[in-house]
Amino acid sequence: MSKSLVIYYSLEGNVEFVAKELAEELGADTFRVETVKDYPKKGLFKYFHGGKDVVFNTLPE
């Protein structure tokens, strides 16, 4: 039997919830990808920071 792994990134916890539910259904382990620097989680700056990354085609470390 092969082992499954659900790899996810979740800024606000929504994807984490879905990933854990999926992993439970599949009998899989989970692995959360984390960034070196924390991204803003609230307010207008969250959208500004995300938009800047899209415009300049940058990926978080």
Side-chain angles (χ1 to χ4, degrees):
M1 176 188 252
S2 64
K3 188 69 175 167
S4 299
L5 177 66
V6 176
I7 302 171
Y8 67 94
Y9 170 76
S10 183
L11 180 63
E12 296 178 323
N14 297 319
V15 173
E16 180 175 27
F17 173 77
V18 173
K20 287 186 176 183
E21 291 291 317
L22 180 63
E24 184 178 320
E25 190 69 28
L26 296 173
D29 293 328
T30 60
F31 179 79
R32 180 181 178 137
V33 175
E34 300 203 18
T35 58
V36 173
K37 250 175 45 175
D38 285 339
Y39 272 62
K41 292 181 173 77
K42 296 186 188 242
L44 188 60
F45 195 64
K46 171 177 80 170
Y47 299 105
F48 173 76
H49 192 70
K52 176 188 68 71
D53 285 350
V54 170
V55 169
F56 291 107
N57 196 27
T58 59
L59 297 173
E61 293 181 25

